[in-house]
Amino acid sequence: MQDETAKPVVVRSQLGADLRRLGLRAGDTVLLHVSVKAIGWMVGGPQVVLKAIFDVLTAEGTLMMLASWEGNPYELDEWSDEEQQRWLDECPPF
């Protein structure tokens, strides 16, 4: 297990500068799938990642994100046939 104290301290302005250095620009469309803990210790908490991205994208940009949860119905192979059918009857895939 990694030593938490070894992770860098990240602030919103630095994260925004790093995103710009990577090529993210105002008005871009970006898909976000991130392990927040892999970035480092964020001053202000995990929401700082979103705030920094919004700072860079501005109101003209678009942020897309993965929506997932424990018991994700799109991983139906872990469910019994009966559970799968009940889910699909009520909530078909989009």
Side-chain angles (χ1 to χ4, degrees):
M1 185 167 172
Q2 271 189 338
D3 178 8
E4 292 295 320
T5 60
K7 291 185 180 181
V9 174
V10 179
V11 296
R12 182 175 174 177
S13 60
Q14 182 61 51
L15 189 53
D18 291 344
L19 291 167
R20 287 181 183 91
R21 231 182 336 277
L22 287 171
L24 195 61
R25 299 285 177 252
D28 282 352
T29 298
V30 65
L31 173 62
L32 177 65
H33 186 161
V34 63
S35 168
V36 175
K37 70 180 182 178
I39 295 172
W41 188 86
M42 285 170 277
V43 176
Q47 65 271 18
V48 168
V49 175
L50 292 175
K51 289 178 181 179
I53 292 171
F54 290 140
D55 289 345
V56 176
L57 291 179
T58 71
E60 288 75 39
T62 301
L63 175 61
M64 302 179 296
M65 295 177 64
L66 171 70
S68 187
W69 56 93
E70 189 175 334
N72 181 343
Y74 302 106
E75 297 169 357
L76 294 178
D77 57 326
E78 298 176 10
W79 295 26
S80 72
D81 290 343
E82 181 183 329
E83 289 169 326
Q84 289 179 33
Q85 191 57 54
R86 284 189 3 231
W87 174 266
L88 293 171
D89 289 345
E90 295 291 326
C91 303
F94 56 89

